[in-house]
Amino acid sequence: MSNPLLAVGELPNFSSIRAEHVEPALEQVLDENRQWLTQRLQETVQPSWDNLIYPLDEAGDRLERVWSPVSHLNAVANTESLRLAYNACLPKLSDYHTEMGQNQALYEAVKAVVETEQQLDLSQQYALQRSLLSFRLSGVALAEDKKQRYREISQQLSSLSSKYSDNILDATNAWFKQVTQLDELKGIPESGLEMAQQAAQQRDLKGWVFTLDFPSYYSVLAYADNRELRAELYRAYTTRASELGANPAWDNTQTMRDILRLRQEEAELLGFANYAELSLAMKMADTTQEVVEFLMDLAKRSKPFAEREFAEVKAFAQEQLGMAEVQAWDVTYISEKMKEARFDFSDEDLKPYFPVGQVIRGLFSLVERLYQVRIQQATEVDIWHPEVSFYQVFDADGSLRAEFYLDLYARQHKRGGAWMSDYCGRFKRKEGIQVPVAFMTCNGTPPVGDKPALFTHDEVVTLFHEFGHGLHHMLTTVDYPDIAGINGVEWDAVELPSQFMENWCWEPEVLKMISGHWQTAEPLPAELFNKMQAARHFQTAMMMVRQLEFALFDMRLHMDPRAAEPGHLEQIQTEVRDEVAVITPPAFNRMAHSFSHIFAGGYAAGYYSYKWAEVLSADAYARFEEEGLFSAEVGQAFLAEILQVGGSRPAMESFIAFRGRKPQIEALLRHSGLVRAA
């Protein structure tokens, strides 16, 4: 039992986990799970929930508790040795899951539970129906040679997705820009310069170092007067992991084509015309046409607004900044200058009022008020980095409800972006309820020197978003792992709780809770709040069409059986941009090469989920606006009908149970400042 991944404890011992522990631990658990299943399927006893499904859930939970710390460390504390061990295990894991999904005897046994057991509650029945669908989508009904091909495809896709992510991480880590002359950095605020100075010191270099980690990159794009510097960082950022990047070994071009080719083959094996159809089999949307029409309808409503906004950008650039033409690396900079001119404030003015400690205290207070829980920090916990913190969530009666880790800042060897993942989920075991444990990860502006970390309002919104996912995972009352928390929730509804949480970041009462000047504790001044509110809808249509561009590109890419052929991806991207975009990026822009969501993050033919869930979340939040932001009744209804039920019933049923009707798009248009377009 010297392997920390096999130690049966409440939480992982991160500081003890080494690369050499990974394969032996995984192999042992996979072997034990296989042996149990073989033995169980040879028994003649009638399959039931208690003698088949429950032990299967236990086996799955044991596997998750071994693998999730490894997967997590690979994302937040990536080393060469850990990466090698992680990648060596992916085919084994893929084989195991495919083997389970294609096990005809297991499928028949699960089917027998559905058909013969009389005591199943509705959520158990729903879980088993989704399980049977998963079997079919894993190729359980295929001929043996096709099953084998499906296994090979699954294995290859798993490895390719990991390779795609690794290439982005390596390309991001490898690039940096050293500047030794301060006059080249005019316009960049003090906080950006301090961050760059700290990055230089960490590398034993003089002056200032800018990286492709988002807080550093953004400080240049938004504020640097030096146009050449902006152009240089923009080019480096948008060519990451492409043939135009610094290292050809990290080029994702062929990796993307291979992923698309294999996805199409997988879809055809299972009887679908394309991968988008396969993807929708487990989602709320019924057809690819329905998704495309939804996105195009939003584009039609918002594009006229976006065109007007971009015309204002160009006019401002010419009249106020003397710029005859606007390039892609100018837009963020010009927009920031416009915001300062129009609303007399910048994002930088807000940062001193959002020290992370105060933001977290306010966030916890809001959650405690809405859902009658208590959140408390615990310090005697093994963590993977000194900046990580750990918390426990208690019910009103003092019982432990959930636990979570917060890892908030950008750093080397950590993947970009923000996400929630989990160590384990809620599970009613014979010995008692297993407490869910979440990992919440952001890449916000790190603390510099003696100053606390100061977040932009956007970074605050991101933290609230991920915490919404965390609440969905942690506050579930469903006892069965496959449908507890976010498990079993249709992918196009899974963003509802996260996007719902974002709305609170604009409410005066909540802003009082989450803000306080880092030196004086003075709350966000009313004058600054009013300016921020006035600017809330600034360029929202441009942001809307940008997200629609990503969603349509993803959908059309996975609807096209020939997408993997050379030139097709680029052609689809161009066609989508011509239809919905208002800013045409330069020819060298390689956005797709770092579009992790769809090539490595589970959002393939599902990126539209963000927009669809925004309709759900805006409409859900509208009930709070109508009946009282802090209404105990509405808070408890959201908890009971959305957060607690997890994936134990169709998401539409949960939404209707909370809202009293199907979702309507008006609230999203209003929240996006596009009401006139309706």
Side-chain angles (χ1 to χ4, degrees):
M1 288 305 292
S2 59
N3 190 324
L5 290 167
L6 294 170
V8 183
E10 293 301 311
L11 296 166
N13 296 315
F14 285 106
S15 60
S16 306
I17 297 169
R18 301 284 176 267
E20 59 268 24
H21 296 136
V22 175
E23 260 187 288
L26 182 72
E27 284 174 347
Q28 182 173 324
V29 174
L30 293 181
D31 285 348
E32 287 168 0
N33 286 1
R34 282 183 171 112
Q35 282 167 18
W36 174 83
L37 184 61
T38 302
Q39 194 179 329
R40 173 63 192 82
L41 292 174
Q42 285 169 352
E43 292 171 10
T44 53
V45 60
Q46 174 70 29
S48 71
W49 186 278
D50 288 343
N51 69 30
L52 179 70
I53 308 301
Y54 176 79
L56 274 176
D57 284 344
E58 283 215 304
D61 182 72
R62 179 91 173 101
L63 175 56
E64 184 182 21
R65 289 164 73 100
V66 165
W67 184 247
S68 65
V70 176
S71 178
H72 184 66
L73 284 175
N74 189 56
V76 296
N78 191 282
T79 63
E80 192 57 38
S81 57
L82 179 63
R83 180 190 292 189
L84 286 170
Y86 173 84
N87 285 331
C89 285
L90 288 178
K92 299 173 194 232
L93 211 50
S94 172
D95 274 355
Y96 173 78
H97 287 305
T98 306
E99 202 180 290
M100 294 285 283
Q102 293 185 346
N103 188 320
Q104 188 70 37
L106 179 58
Y107 171 69
E108 297 297 342
V110 173
K111 215 160 120 190
V113 177
V114 175
E115 290 165 357
T116 61
E117 188 149 353
Q118 304 298 313
Q119 305 303 314
L120 298 176
D121 62 38
L122 287 174
S123 54
Q124 286 173 308
Q125 291 172 34
Y126 184 65
L128 291 176
Q129 290 300 341
R130 282 186 74 81
S131 178
L132 293 176
L133 176 57
S134 289
F135 275 109
R136 292 194 282 276
L137 295 178
S138 297
V140 73
L142 295 177
E144 204 47 54
D145 59 332
K146 290 187 174 174
K147 276 186 177 174
Q148 180 54 36
R149 181 60 192 143
Y150 180 96
R151 268 183 222 123
E152 291 163 5
I153 290 171
S154 298
Q155 206 180 82
Q156 288 170 40
L157 281 172
S158 173
S159 297
L160 285 165
S161 289
S162 183
K163 183 183 176 189
Y164 180 94
S165 288
D166 290 343
N167 286 343
I168 298 168
L169 181 63
D170 289 340
T172 303
N173 274 337
W175 194 95
F176 66 88
K177 169 75 175 174
Q178 182 188 13
V179 179
T180 53
Q181 300 301 314
L182 186 58
D183 60 356
E184 291 180 37
L185 303 177
K186 282 181 185 144
I188 298 177
E190 195 61 35
S191 64
L193 293 175
E194 287 171 350
M195 187 165 52
Q197 212 164 14
Q198 184 167 279
Q201 287 162 2
Q202 286 166 350
R203 288 170 171 79
D204 294 324
L205 294 172
K206 289 179 180 167
W208 300 264
V209 160
F210 296 91
T211 70
L212 300 182
D213 287 328
F214 194 77
S216 180
Y217 168 72
Y218 187 79
S219 72
V220 174
L221 260 277
Y223 300 108
D225 296 336
N226 183 338
R227 197 180 191 189
E228 287 72 30
L229 183 63
R230 294 200 308 269
E232 189 179 348
L233 262 90
Y234 176 88
R235 186 181 184 105
Y237 191 82
T238 59
T239 57
R240 284 177 304 158
S242 77
E243 82 282 12
L244 301 178
N247 189 329
W250 301 328
D251 177 11
N252 269 332
T253 305
Q254 192 55 48
T255 306
M256 293 190 301
R257 285 182 190 151
D258 290 343
I259 288 172
L260 291 169
R261 175 179 54 76
L262 289 165
R263 283 177 179 168
Q264 177 61 29
E265 189 184 347
E266 179 189 358
E268 288 175 8
L269 263 181
L270 296 171
F272 295 92
N274 53 56
Y275 188 81
E277 284 187 7
L278 167 57
S279 169
L280 292 189
M282 292 285 256
K283 294 183 171 71
M284 285 174 85
D286 291 325
T287 65
T288 55
Q289 196 54 38
E290 185 186 334
V291 173
V292 171
E293 282 172 7
F294 163 70
L295 295 171
M296 289 306 294
D297 177 50
L298 266 182
K300 193 175 75 181
R301 291 168 186 257
S302 49
K303 193 176 180 183
F305 285 79
E307 286 171 333
R308 189 157 67 234
E309 288 173 358
F310 191 49
E312 289 170 0
V313 169
K314 290 189 282 193
F316 184 91
Q318 196 164 9
E319 293 159 18
Q320 304 298 321
L321 303 174
M323 293 168 73
E325 54 172 359
V326 173
Q327 300 290 355
W329 49 88
D330 299 321
V331 176
T332 307
Y333 174 77
I334 299 162
S335 299
E336 195 56 39
K337 288 273 183 275
M338 279 177 75
K339 193 154 83 173
E340 283 179 47
R342 190 178 292 181
F343 306 105
D344 189 30
F345 91 106
S346 77
D347 285 343
E348 202 57 29
D349 295 330
L350 294 171
K351 280 177 86 166
Y353 292 95
F354 291 118
V356 166
Q358 183 59 40
V359 173
I360 288 171
R361 281 191 294 276
L363 167 61
F364 291 175
S365 296
L366 170 67
V367 168
E368 289 171 346
R369 190 169 169 183
L370 287 175
Y371 306 126
Q372 275 73 62
V373 293
R374 182 170 55 84
I375 303 173
Q376 191 174 306
Q377 186 167 6
T379 50
E380 300 301 310
V381 173
D382 197 346
I383 50 179
W384 57 90
H385 191 276
E387 288 168 346
V388 174
S389 47
F390 180 83
Y391 301 87
Q392 295 179 306
V393 183
F394 296 93
D395 274 326
D397 64 4
S399 58
L400 182 63
R401 179 77 172 265
E403 299 176 314
F404 63 94
Y405 299 83
L406 273 186
D407 184 353
L408 296 179
Y409 312 120
R411 60 176 179 268
Q412 280 192 294
H413 310 297
K414 178 181 175 183
R415 295 200 194 290
W419 66 91
M420 190 284 296
S421 55
D422 64 287
Y423 169 54
C424 62
R426 180 183 163 102
F427 180 16
K428 188 176 182 181
R429 313 178 75 132
K430 292 189 172 90
E431 56 270 31
I433 298 282
Q434 175 171 285
V435 170
V437 181
F439 301 122
M440 281 174 261
T441 310
C442 298
N443 269 277
T445 307
V448 177
D450 298 332
K451 279 187 189 175
L454 304 174
F455 271 11
T456 64
H457 187 253
D458 279 350
E459 289 173 327
V460 173
V461 171
T462 298
L463 171 58
F464 270 61
H465 178 104
E466 297 311 329
F467 209 80
H469 282 308
L471 290 171
H472 203 185
H473 173 69
M474 295 188 294
L475 297 185
T476 188
T477 52
V478 178
D479 294 330
Y480 318 116
D482 285 352
I483 50 169
I486 63 170
N487 292 335
V489 177
E490 296 97 318
W491 201 254
D492 40 3
V494 89
E495 295 294 335
L496 162 57
S498 53
Q499 291 182 322
F500 165 82
M501 278 299 288
E502 293 181 22
N503 293 289
W504 297 97
C505 300
W506 296 93
E507 296 297 344
E509 280 188 76
V510 176
L511 279 161
K512 280 179 191 155
M513 293 155 66
I514 62 174
S515 70
H517 195 284
W518 72 278
Q519 288 167 305
T520 65
E522 173 202 354
L524 189 70
E527 184 189 6
L528 203 46
F529 168 74
N530 291 334
K531 290 174 181 178
M532 185 180 133
Q533 282 290 11
R536 181 175 181 179
H537 295 141
F538 178 63
Q539 296 186 347
T540 48
M542 276 166 61
M543 285 184 266
M544 172 80 85
V545 295
R546 183 167 161 74
Q547 287 300 307
L548 292 171
E549 177 193 328
F550 293 162
L552 276 163
F553 168 63
D554 164 47
M555 207 65 202
R556 296 227 176 117
L557 195 63
H558 289 101
M559 285 167 66
D560 186 345
R562 299 175 60 202
E565 294 176 17
H568 271 252
L569 180 149
E570 295 77 9
Q571 185 187 334
I572 291 165
Q573 196 163 37
T574 303
E575 286 169 4
V576 169
R577 280 177 180 156
D578 289 345
E579 278 182 88
V580 301
V582 294
I583 302 170
T584 306
F588 64 73
N589 182 299
R590 295 290 183 269
M591 180 278 287
H593 289 70
S594 56
F595 196 0
S596 296
H597 274 81
I598 70 167
F599 287 108
Y603 281 84
Y607 196 81
Y608 76 90
S609 304
Y610 281 102
K611 279 295 152 213
W612 172 239
E614 230 177 298
V615 172
L616 301 177
S617 63
D619 200 5
Y621 189 72
R623 185 176 165 196
F624 282 83
E625 293 174 315
E626 290 157 13
E627 298 180 39
L629 281 180
F630 295 100
S631 158
E633 185 189 336
V634 183
Q636 285 305 298
F638 191 79
L639 177 68
E641 303 296 357
I642 305 288
L643 297 178
Q644 288 183 343
V645 298
S648 65
R649 65 185 179 193
M652 186 60 81
E653 278 183 29
S654 295
F655 183 88
I656 292 169
F658 172 69
R659 200 66 176 99
R661 55 164 173 74
K662 285 190 170 183
Q664 296 169 354
I665 204 170
E666 282 64 33
L668 171 62
L669 297 173
R670 179 166 53 81
H671 283 187
S672 305
L674 304 174
V675 175
R676 285 163 298 162

